[in-house]
Amino acid sequence: MIETRDLWFSYGDREVLKGVNFKANRGKVTILLGRNGAGKTTLLMHLNGLLKPARGEVWIDGIKVKYDRKSLLEIRKKVGFVFQNPDDQIIAPTVWQDVVFGPKNAEMSDKFAKKAIKYLELEGYENRLCNSLSGGEKRRVVIAGILAMNPDYIIMDEPTAGLDGFGLRSVVEIIEELKEGGKTFVISTHDLDFAKAVGERFVYMDCGKIVHESDRIDLTIANRYGLRMGNVRGRLVVVPHNVEIPEIDTDFIAAMGIKAKERAFKEGLDVDIVDAVLERSILRAVEGHTVLLICSAEMMSVVEREAKKFPIFFEVLDKVSCGVSSNKIGRDDKGVEAIKHGASGACIH
Amino acid sequence: MHETVEHIQLNSKKIIDGDIKVYFCLILLLFVVISGEIGVYVLAFASFSCLSFYAAGRYYIKIIKIPIYFLVSGVIVILFFIPGKTVYQLYFLKISGEGVNIALNTALRALASLSIMSFMILTTTIPEMFSAFKKLKLPNFAVEMSLLVYRVIQILLDEAARLERSASSRLGYASRKVFVNTTALLSYSLFLKSLKRSEKLDRAMDARCYSGVMPILDVKNTGIYYALAIAVLLVALWWFL
């Protein structure tokens, strides 16, 4: 396990890490999410001993990191670091020279380098000059350079930056296969598709602190902390039949269950969706619409369970349970649309 | 698309390859220069021109063209200004027999040397060359520094190309005044980027346990018999002439 305890770091007067307590479990893929400048890269560089904290400690497999040359060498054999820009990491002019750079310097055999070249389909590229490679090929070269040292932990700083769909899929496959082989990953990204594809634990950073941790992506949190949301735009606002119906601007109104339909009729609402209500409401939300779903209070748990499986913003307005006085949609101080005083959540598995 | 020497080197067809190619070219270059036999020059020029043309096609002509311009002008000067018995006169310009001899000798020697060098340039990348030098016991630090400098040059050239494109797209070369201003800005940006780059390179090397070793390429030697045949022919010709 890699762990940081109360980690503080600053570049000059600017504090970048403010007491970070981070954990990455062995054999898992931990995703570090956050906007630009949140401190993700700085935290990652501490995990490989590239930066020395101003205060706090880094622990790897139960051993506290020391910053003398010999200890750092041991850490770097154990923890490989893949930089965001492959050109920053490629040191040698040709593919083979770059891949074996680590093993030669660490006085290891080039057994793993040969394996890495084969595994990353770089056979035949050994004598190629690195500046003649495409972005995706360079990415594979830097990953091969790290695998050549056979580290237990692999740190990746935004590995999908600048990659096309093929490149992204290739990186996802590589990570999944290596994970099967027992490698541990700590990856920083603001690409939710990628995070969703490989992640097992999600850690959100903002302003040098860890602000949220979970086992699944929380779209509301992700939105709040400036992550790219892809095409997630729609909102499903769910109201139990026995609470006050909020006055919100919606594209569709749906009523699910007899009690909900009676309530909608009583309120004089023009209901658009009355059949296959849950499926059609989710579909409309996936399309990017805002759907107000009035449902029987007994069905709330079913709606919540199903809705959280889809890439939509899911919000529950439950005046009774939350004891709120107003349910109007507004904007929070971060400029993110949110329901004031309402319980809300949005997840994709 | 603009073709760089590196692309030509990578895509060339190599009859002779590996460290042997570097040694073969350098030894034969030395031999041809000191042999002093016109027959050797002609044979060397013919054989290396064939090898180069096979390896890189029209790029051989392209690469040899520029030095030939200089060679021609030099040969003309030699032809007209070497004193001796006049064999031909054109108005006030006199060509002596010795002038013809020296000009021919110089031209053929230069062409033979150029063809050998061109073959090496067209088929050998810098890392291959340093790999061969390192096996000749060139000091580690010299190889390491050269390869690092070469890698940084690769990156800076890419960076310069990007900056140049950016400047062009925003009319950075619209007039002479703007051209000078843009070039100054571009040089300044490139300098700053190179400083930043050195920090990143240092960090990348640290992250991969750098302890002063720069791996070298190990290219398999091929075409040894061709190389031997050419060498034997040249030496035999020199011996019998």
Side-chain angles (χ1 to χ4, degrees):
Chain A
M1 184 172 70
I2 295 189
E3 191 182 356
T4 70
R5 295 179 190 168
D6 191 29
L7 206 66
W8 289 76
F9 185 82
S10 54
Y11 291 110
D13 294 338
R14 194 167 60 91
E15 279 192 332
V16 184
L17 297 182
K18 301 167 186 170
V20 174
N21 292 301
F22 170 80
K23 271 182 193 171
N25 289 321
R26 221 185 157 102
K28 299 277 179 196
V29 179
T30 305
I31 305 283
L32 206 52
L33 297 155
R35 70 177 82 182
N36 291 333
K40 304 187 296 291
T41 303
T42 308
L43 173 60
L44 292 185
M45 287 204 282
H46 279 88
L47 308 183
N48 177 264
L50 282 173
L51 292 178
K52 190 178 174 183
R55 216 163 76 208
E57 294 161 355
V58 180
W59 291 70
I60 296 169
D61 288 340
I63 300 165
K64 188 180 160 187
V65 170
K66 290 176 191 158
Y67 292 88
D68 59 287
R69 188 170 166 72
K70 199 179 161 197
S71 309
L72 285 175
L73 208 69
E74 287 308 312
I75 289 165
R76 287 165 186 164
K77 280 185 198 170
K78 198 180 263 191
V79 185
F81 194 105
V82 179
F83 287 61
Q84 182 180 351
N85 180 359
D87 277 330
D88 291 347
Q89 182 161 351
I90 293 172
I91 299 158
T94 64
V95 171
W96 171 254
Q97 285 175 292
D98 195 70
V99 172
V100 295
F101 183 89
K104 291 274 181 208
N105 278 284
E107 294 175 358
M108 295 163 70
S109 83
D110 54 14
K111 183 176 80 177
F112 291 108
K114 284 176 183 160
K115 268 189 182 174
I117 282 192
K118 196 173 173 188
Y119 173 64
L120 288 156
E121 295 169 5
L122 288 168
E123 280 173 310
Y125 283 66
E126 290 92 336
N127 297 344
R128 286 274 299 272
L129 294 171
C130 292
N131 67 333
S132 67
L133 303 176
S134 70
E137 288 166 344
K138 280 182 186 173
R139 182 72 65 188
R140 282 192 278 146
V141 170
V142 298
I143 295 174
I146 296 304
L147 293 182
M149 297 174 76
N150 193 30
D152 296 331
Y153 297 92
I154 299 174
I155 313 290
M156 290 179 147
D157 188 10
E158 301 197 15
T160 58
L163 288 185
D164 59 14
F166 295 116
L168 175 74
R169 280 198 287 279
S170 160
V171 171
V172 169
E173 279 168 21
I174 291 166
I175 291 171
E176 279 175 348
E177 282 177 32
L178 290 172
K179 192 182 78 181
E180 293 297 313
K183 302 281 182 209
T184 304
F185 285 88
V186 181
I187 302 169
S188 84
T189 186
H190 26 222
D191 183 339
L192 275 189
D193 290 335
F194 171 64
K196 189 181 119 186
V198 298
E200 292 172 298
R201 178 102 185 127
F202 303 93
V203 178
Y204 298 78
M205 277 191 84
D206 196 40
C207 302
K209 290 178 183 170
I210 289 176
V211 288
H212 185 76
E213 288 181 63
S214 60
D215 289 335
R216 62 186 182 198
I217 292 175
D218 187 320
L219 290 182
T220 308
I221 299 274
N223 196 19
R224 184 176 305 150
Y225 293 112
L227 294 166
R228 285 200 307 249
M229 303 300 291
N231 55 2
V232 181
R233 300 186 313 275
R235 170 181 290 125
L236 181 65
V237 182
V238 183
V239 185
H241 77 282
N242 54 357
V243 302
E244 187 185 326
I245 307 292
E247 293 168 26
I248 58 171
D249 188 14
T250 61
D251 299 316
F252 297 94
I253 297 176
M256 184 175 164
I258 295 166
K259 289 176 189 168
K261 282 170 188 161
E262 283 172 0
R263 178 70 197 275
F265 180 73
K266 206 167 138 189
E267 294 281 332
L269 295 173
D270 188 9
V271 180
D272 305 292
I273 303 170
V274 287
D275 304 319
V277 179
L278 186 56
E279 294 87 338
R280 289 174 64 197
S281 300
I282 290 171
L283 191 60
R284 292 297 182 196
V286 169
E287 280 175 353
H289 299 290
T290 301
V291 180
L292 174 66
L293 171 62
I294 305 162
C295 81
S296 302
E298 300 80 31
M299 292 177 167
M300 285 297 287
S301 58
V302 177
V303 171
E304 190 170 345
R305 192 186 64 220
E306 291 303 314
K308 282 185 172 179
K309 292 177 184 169
F310 296 90
I312 54 174
F313 292 108
F314 172 72
E315 293 146 12
V316 178
L317 297 189
D318 184 351
K319 190 182 168 187
V320 176
S321 62
C322 296
V324 297
S325 56
S326 168
N327 299 336
K328 295 245 171 112
I329 287 182
R331 283 187 176 272
D332 67 11
D333 55 352
K334 291 185 189 301
V336 178
E337 270 200 350
I339 312 285
K340 286 181 183 167
H341 308 298
S344 69
C347 299
I348 32 179
H349 288 263
Chain B
M1 200 185 109
H2 182 65
E3 199 77 45
T4 62
V5 175
E6 286 170 343
H7 284 106
I8 299 166
Q9 288 165 343
L10 289 173
N11 297 323
S12 60
K13 290 180 252 174
K14 299 168 183 88
I15 291 181
I16 304 165
D17 204 7
D19 299 334
I20 189 90
K21 177 178 58 189
V22 178
Y23 306 144
F24 165 68
C25 288
L26 292 179
I27 291 169
L28 279 193
L29 178 68
L30 198 68
F31 171 73
V32 165
V33 169
I34 60 172
S35 67
E37 287 295 340
I38 285 185
V40 173
Y41 301 152
V42 172
L43 183 63
F45 177 62
S47 50
F48 278 94
S49 290
C50 289
L51 285 174
S52 305
F53 204 76
Y54 175 79
R58 66 193 164 92
Y59 292 113
Y60 171 58
I61 308 291
K62 241 180 166 177
I63 211 162
I64 207 169
K65 206 164 62 182
I66 296 165
I68 282 181
Y69 290 145
F70 289 97
L71 180 63
V72 168
S73 55
V75 166
I76 288 171
V77 172
I78 293 170
L79 203 59
F80 288 109
F81 292 93
I82 295 289
K85 195 181 169 192
T86 305
V87 288
Y88 182 74
Q89 187 163 7
L90 182 71
Y91 303 111
F92 62 91
L93 295 170
K94 291 175 185 168
I95 298 173
S96 66
E98 281 175 13
V100 171
N101 271 340
I102 294 175
L104 188 69
N105 214 296
T106 308
L108 288 174
R109 183 185 284 191
L111 281 174
S113 309
L114 271 175
S115 63
I116 297 173
M117 286 307 289
S118 301
F119 172 70
M120 198 161 86
I121 289 167
L122 289 167
T123 56
T124 318
T125 59
I126 297 281
E128 283 171 1
M129 207 173 291
F130 277 102
S131 151
F133 289 160
K134 191 167 180 184
K135 284 173 191 163
L136 290 178
K137 303 290 173 207
L138 191 73
N140 260 348
F141 76 90
V143 176
E144 182 195 340
M145 287 307 293
S146 311
L147 289 174
L148 281 176
V149 166
Y150 178 61
R151 173 69 192 141
V152 172
I153 289 171
Q154 284 181 337
I155 294 167
L156 280 182
L157 282 178
D158 286 347
E159 204 67 60
R162 270 195 287 273
L163 286 173
E164 199 269 337
R165 270 199 299 276
S166 164
S168 301
S169 70
R170 288 183 283 158
L171 305 177
Y173 303 108
S175 67
R176 266 186 206 168
K177 194 182 162 193
V178 173
F179 173 85
V180 172
N181 194 28
T182 305
T183 309
L185 281 173
L186 207 139
S187 316
Y188 179 63
S189 298
L190 208 56
F191 174 68
L192 289 184
K193 277 177 191 288
S194 66
L195 286 181
K196 192 108 186 152
R197 175 67 54 191
S198 67
E199 278 174 32
K200 286 178 176 172
L201 190 69
D202 183 51
R203 191 163 277 171
M205 289 162 77
D206 270 350
R208 289 163 73 191
C209 307
Y210 178 64
S211 61
V213 181
M214 178 59 89
I216 54 163
L217 269 183
D218 199 10
V219 183
K220 198 181 160 197
N221 289 327
T222 54
I224 297 171
Y225 295 115
Y226 288 108
L228 267 176
I230 294 168
V232 167
L233 261 175
L234 285 171
V235 173
L237 192 67
W238 172 74
W239 185 260
F240 290 113
L241 282 174

